[in-house]
Amino acid sequence: MSKPVLVINSGSSSLKYQVVDAESGEALAVGLIERIGGAGPGALTHTVGGEKHPAEVQVPDHAAAMAAMSDAFAQHGPDLAEVGLVAVGHRVVQGGARFGHSVHIDEEALATIEQLSDLAPLHNPANAAGIRVARAQFPDLPHVAVFDTAFHLTMPEVAHTYAIDREVAEEHRIRRYGFHGTSHAYVSQRAAEFLGQPLEDTNVIVLHLGNGASACAVRGGISVDTSMGLTPLEGLVMGTRSGDIDPAVVFHLARTAGMDIDAVDTLLNKRSGVLGLSGRQDMRDLVEAAAAGEPEAQLALEVYCYRVRKYIGAYLAVLGRVDAIVFTAGIGENSAEVRALTLEGLAGLGIELDGEANLVRSGEARDIATSASRVRVLVIPTNEELEIARQAIDVVGTRSSTYN
Ligand code: AMP
């Protein structure tokens, strides 16, 4: 039986949507609306049956964006009234310590999501705005919030605690939350399926390497550590984010360069990472420039991969026994160079990449380790929309069995 879900990812200036069948995984339509609230017109791309339908749209706010989305469905299909939507699943970035799993959205849940905005000022207000307008547009459907942080709420205290004054930390809810949870959850499940092992007995290190990037140590399907922290700034080197740095860099910049907090925030979140090191944010460009012998690009690539390698070492120690290292997201799935450079010299730890298998391009889950490698090396395409759809169905199912 098909179970179509409308998945909505509402950002501050963009809205991504997808109608995905939670049973088959088939995406019936995919859309993106950009430049919401901008000075000029926005851009909408609605893709259905492999055909792209671009349009210029007037989107001064999220309500207008939601209306533009409905117009696109009406014009290019599928007909939302006919498709038999079962639920609307919303991506929410920060669930704090409050949400350890996906929830049905009522007024109370929505208010809590808004209250968590102080922990995610760039994301939660936009997520909440998307929820509000979607509930008005689809009042008869159940709406479910799926949190980026929820998968990591299982992290033990020892992994999520920062060694700072306890009272300050408690008062301001400062701890490690972690992000990319839907991706880490989906990919670690798929890894266990691929290995033909029960999830409960499978330990993996998931490397979600996209424009944002995080590593996750997953023991038996449960997140026990992850590289992002209070915000998505901690951990790996990313497209524009620094990842781990000495926090004293912030004081130093304030004292010696006279930078205020917002300037440092912008520096570390938007002007750092491989972009800051090389002037290139896109990994394809970076790899090309490094291959052409550009020293800044070579160093940026090496710093990027070295940081991932350090986290692999750390999570081998955290997990004790690891069945597989799993690469996913735009860079993890597509860049043979990054995978090879990251795993260089790890044979002593039982991790051996098969050079030829690594070069094969494919959209399928695959094993790229040598047969002798004790730890498998997998490439598994992530699918956050499908995971959101599945979790929405789980919540709707639970609700109907509880209340009907
Ligand atoms: P994501 O955030 O998962 O969409 O990933 C975006 C990142 O994936 C960008 O930095 C892209 O450069 C990178 N990417 C996509 N395709 C490739 C590729 N063939 N080789 C290297 N990087 C890629």
Side-chain angles (χ1 to χ4, degrees):
M1 207 184 92
S2 74
K3 288 184 175 162
V5 174
L6 173 61
V7 175
I8 289 178
N9 181 352
S10 172
S12 55
S13 66
S14 71
L15 188 141
K16 290 184 197 157
Y17 60 87
Q18 197 172 118
V19 174
V20 57
D21 183 344
E23 284 296 310
S24 69
E26 187 193 355
L28 306 176
V30 179
L32 169 66
I33 304 172
E34 292 173 290
R35 299 198 293 275
I36 298 170
L44 178 147
T45 312
H46 185 85
T47 306
V48 59
E51 208 172 312
K52 278 189 183 0
H53 302 279
E56 203 176 272
V57 284
Q58 298 306 321
V59 282
D61 54 27
H62 285 83
M66 201 65 65
M69 176 190 84
S70 286
D71 288 349
F73 277 108
Q75 211 179 331
H76 307 292
D79 184 339
L80 286 181
E82 296 282 307
V83 113
L85 287 177
V86 187
V88 184
H90 295 268
R91 176 192 182 214
V92 178
V93 168
Q94 179 57 273
R98 172 72 182 70
F99 295 112
H101 48 76
S102 303
V103 293
H104 172 251
I105 303 172
D106 53 17
E107 277 306 316
E108 192 192 336
L110 185 51
T112 311
I113 289 167
E114 283 173 335
Q115 281 158 17
L116 288 163
S117 292
D118 58 340
L119 289 173
L122 295 179
H123 296 106
N124 274 40
N127 300 155
I131 291 171
R132 279 205 187 281
V133 293
R135 284 175 93 208
Q137 189 110 348
F138 305 98
D140 299 328
L141 286 172
H143 290 249
V144 175
V146 179
F147 301 91
D148 273 22
T149 49
F151 183 59
H152 304 299
L153 213 56
T154 50
M155 275 195 286
E157 217 173 359
V158 69
H160 72 63
T161 304
Y162 288 118
I164 63 170
D165 183 286
R166 278 179 70 150
E167 282 178 24
V168 173
E170 269 166 35
E171 188 182 343
H172 298 284
R173 292 168 293 155
I174 296 171
R175 48 163 282 178
R176 309 187 62 255
Y177 292 102
F179 298 88
H180 290 142
T182 47
S183 178
H184 289 301
Y186 176 83
V187 168
S188 47
Q189 275 169 43
R190 287 281 295 116
E193 278 166 29
F194 185 90
L195 295 169
Q197 294 179 197
L199 184 60
E200 313 81 76
D201 300 335
T202 305
N203 292 356
V204 292
I205 298 172
V206 180
L207 304 170
H208 177 110
L209 309 180
N211 198 25
S214 68
C216 186
V218 186
R219 176 181 289 131
I222 289 169
S223 169
V224 293
D225 205 349
T226 192
S227 58
M228 285 177 167
L230 175 77
T231 77
L233 183 56
E234 190 180 342
L236 303 180
V237 176
M238 311 182 207
T240 64
R241 297 186 198 127
S242 63
D244 295 335
I245 55 158
D246 182 344
V249 169
V250 178
F251 324 142
H252 183 71
L253 286 170
R255 290 184 187 126
T256 62
M259 290 173 83
D260 67 16
I261 280 300
D262 289 332
V264 181
D265 190 329
T266 303
L267 175 79
L268 297 180
N269 274 297
K270 303 242 165 78
R271 294 171 45 209
S272 296
V274 293
L275 174 73
L277 288 174
S278 72
R280 291 180 164 83
Q281 177 178 343
D282 193 297
M283 188 53 78
R284 282 164 289 207
D285 299 343
L286 187 68
V287 166
E288 211 177 284
E294 199 179 291
E296 292 86 357
Q298 283 173 340
L299 180 63
L301 188 58
E302 279 170 21
V303 170
Y304 182 94
C305 295
Y306 179 72
R307 183 76 53 85
V308 183
R309 196 180 322 145
K310 285 215 296 194
Y311 269 92
I312 292 173
Y315 290 169
L316 284 171
V318 165
L319 291 169
R321 190 207 90 223
V322 170
D323 298 291
I325 308 242
V326 192
F327 286 90
T328 194
I331 297 168
E333 290 166 30
N334 295 301
S335 180
E337 293 85 354
V338 167
R339 293 191 298 255
L341 195 54
T342 298
L343 299 183
E344 218 172 69
L346 297 186
L349 296 173
I351 303 165
E352 288 177 53
L353 190 66
D354 180 324
E356 267 179 42
N358 183 38
L359 289 176
V360 174
R361 297 195 61 84
S362 157
E364 299 295 317
R366 54 203 189 273
D367 188 337
I368 55 169
T370 63
S371 53
S373 182
R374 188 157 40 79
V375 178
R376 307 317 302 162
V377 179
L378 308 180
V379 178
I380 296 190
T382 193
N383 194 337
E384 290 170 276
E385 288 77 14
L386 177 56
E387 180 66 21
I388 290 172
R390 284 181 178 163
Q391 293 200 19
I393 293 291
D394 284 350
V395 169
V396 171
T398 317
R399 244 170 52 85
S400 49
S401 60
T402 310
Y403 297 114
N404 282 354

